[in-house]
Amino acid sequence: MSKKHTKLNGATAFTIIASIVFLLVAPVTSDANNECRPDQIQLQNQAAIPFGGQTVLGQMFVPSVPGNQVCSVKVLISKNFAGAKNLTLHVVRPNFTELDAATIAGADIPMGNSVQVFNFGCNGAALVGMPFYGLKLESKDSQLGAYSWKGINGNVYNRPGEGDKGWRNLNGGAGNWTRLAAGAWDFAFEIYLCN
């Protein structure tokens, strides 16, 4: 292997490590400046699933203490095209109906790998009455592959039932969702709940 490849691999490893460190240490508060506490975390990643346009991705999760609202969510993504449009993250029920949503302007997202923080402001519906919930990530005005969501195969975020699966939908979120890697795929995320 040449020195150029060694330096490139070292730079890539540094970028991934820096992203994970940011996920762990960046403080989180709501828009109302309420303190938020970390609840669900899955930071491992080895690959990425592309999305954009009609292709939408989802990750189920089980809150440790039901009854609170989502304060913010961090996701590890890659912006693959300079012209990629807005990125929207929805907090959803198990049937993918919406509880809350937050959007980040495409122009504010740098090219390549980054951690994006979606702030929900502690004003959405509380996580009550369901055994698990989901995150739905989309960029409907972008082309397919404009973004990728990092994650890992192997069911590292292991929760009961359907509460730990990564999903993909090819119809803009309508109709059937397909489990990724036969239900063993997990996206990289960090969920903060309101106090």
Side-chain angles (χ1 to χ4, degrees), residues 83-135:
K85 305 298 183 195
N86 295 350
L87 193 58
T88 300
L89 184 71
H90 306 266
V91 178
V92 297
R93 295 176 186 88
N95 63 0
F96 293 98
T97 57
E98 185 174 301
L99 291 168
D100 206 351
T103 299
I104 298 173
D108 294 339
I109 300 171
M111 287 295 295
N113 296 335
S114 68
V115 175
Q116 294 301 308
V117 180
F118 293 87
N119 291 309
F120 292 91
C122 295
N123 57 9
L127 304 178
V128 293
M130 302 290 171
F132 59 89
Y133 296 87
L135 304 173

Side-chain angles (χ1 to χ4, degrees), residues 17 117 153:
I17 291 168
V117 180
N153 192 7

